[in-house]
Amino acid sequence: MILLIHIDKMQENANIPKIKKKVPLLIKILAGFNFICALFLFISFFSIIIDNQFEILVFIIAIIVTLGGTILFFFAGRGLLKAKNYARIMNIIFAILGFIITICLILLVAKLNLIIQEANQNVDANITNLMSMFRVNVFLPKAIISLVVNFLIALYLLIDKQVKETFK
């Protein structure tokens, strides 16, 4: 008897149409960026496995970070498309971490450039090529763009009324 009542309730619930939330375009674009990040991390994961030139501890940490990042970004993107609040919170955290990491990189690059200027020694060509990536005039504009983008993403996900309504 109880089983029949339960089956009847399940059939009633099955007939109720689910209301699908309309996800804003910017959220869909952000979800796409999450999927692209997941793809890059997934490719990095296999790259690390195939080209294993690390010490075992570094290898294990790199595997955990890339595989974990792949999973996090994939589910964050999927959650955004389904208007899940956990995905909004994850993306806010990603944006804040991106902002903090970019500031740390700016400070690191500034310090490295000071060290290079003070050294004034002939250095190996490989080191010179590596350090060309960290020239302030090349790195700083990219870092500023990263800061602005991360700030705007966090601000949008925290303050926008349409986003708040979507993720209720």
Side-chain angles (χ1 to χ4, degrees), residues 23 27-28 30-32 34-35 71-96 153-154 156-158 163 166-168:
V23 179
I27 296 295
K28 291 178 183 177
L30 187 57
N34 277 278
F35 291 131
I71 293 167
L72 283 175
F73 276 105
F74 175 78
F75 282 107
R78 186 170 171 246
L80 284 177
L81 291 177
K82 293 184 175 196
K84 301 291 184 185
N85 196 43
Y86 75 85
R88 182 180 75 93
I89 293 168
M90 286 174 68
N91 277 277
I92 291 168
I93 292 169
F94 293 158
I96 292 170
I153 288 172
Y156 174 67
L157 292 173
L158 283 169
V163 171
T166 302
F167 288 96
K168 269 189 176 175

Side-chain angles (χ1 to χ4, degrees), residues 149-162:
V149 168
N150 282 311
F151 178 76
L152 291 176
I153 288 172
L155 196 65
Y156 174 67
L157 292 173
L158 283 169
I159 293 177
D160 191 77
K161 290 179 183 178
Q162 185 181 9

